[in-house]
Amino acid sequence: MDNSIMGLGALTSDYWKSNTQTKELEKSLSSDMSGKTKEELMEVCKDFESYFVEQMFKSMKKMVPESEDSNNDYINMFGDMLVQKYAESATEQQGLGIAQKLYEQMKRNYGLQ
């Protein structure tokens, strides 16, 4: 099979995976978290921070004037995925601390010790 077709399939898969992750995050945040373990609660908080940082990076990217490189097909295709990976990486390395603060607040609200 042609590699370019396989690459397109992977790109489409990543796009749907991203939308699915957003919907799962919305579902997690709107559900009752009182039955969750501390680890599950922290994971949801990290997912939220990652999503927040990703949106912030995308907004920052829009502020940068376009150059000749911005017409590059690869940048257009994979730029959002790169921003998403940067956001995930930033969150895993302590990020902005939003996940930790949110976790502490949610833990108090749900009476988890």
Side-chain angles (χ1 to χ4, degrees):
M1 186 180 287
D2 184 15
N3 285 338
S4 63
I5 293 172
M6 290 174 62
L8 183 58
L11 176 64
T12 304
S13 172
D14 285 340
Y15 171 79
W16 290 113
K17 180 180 175 187
S18 175
N19 282 343
T20 302
Q21 287 173 336
T22 302
K23 289 177 185 175
E24 287 176 7
L25 178 59
E26 287 176 13
K27 183 180 175 182
S28 294
L29 290 173
S30 65
S31 67
D32 181 16
M33 304 291 276
S34 59
K36 302 286 185 184
T37 66
K38 290 180 184 180
E39 291 79 19
E40 290 171 325
L41 187 61
M42 185 60 169
E43 191 61 34
V44 170
C45 294
K46 283 183 179 181
D47 289 345
F48 174 78
E49 182 176 4
S50 178
Y51 179 77
F52 179 80
V53 171
E54 179 183 347
Q55 296 307 309
M56 187 175 62
F57 284 169
K58 285 180 180 180
S59 294
M60 290 167 50
K61 184 179 169 190
K62 289 179 186 176
M63 298 299 291
V64 176
E66 290 190 22
S67 66
E68 292 177 15
D69 290 336
S70 41
N71 290 328
N72 185 325
D73 290 335
Y74 292 110
I75 291 174
N76 293 333
M77 242 192 277
F78 300 110
D80 285 342
M81 291 185 339
L82 181 61
V83 169
Q84 184 179 21
K85 293 299 177 188
Y86 284 155
E88 289 172 8
S89 177
T91 301
E92 286 302 318
Q93 298 173 8
Q94 295 301 321
L96 303 174
I98 295 171
Q100 185 63 39
K101 291 294 183 185
L102 183 60
Y103 170 74
E104 290 168 7
Q105 181 65 42
M106 291 177 80
K107 198 168 80 168
R108 277 193 302 269
N109 289 349
Y110 290 115
L112 299 174
Q113 298 303 329

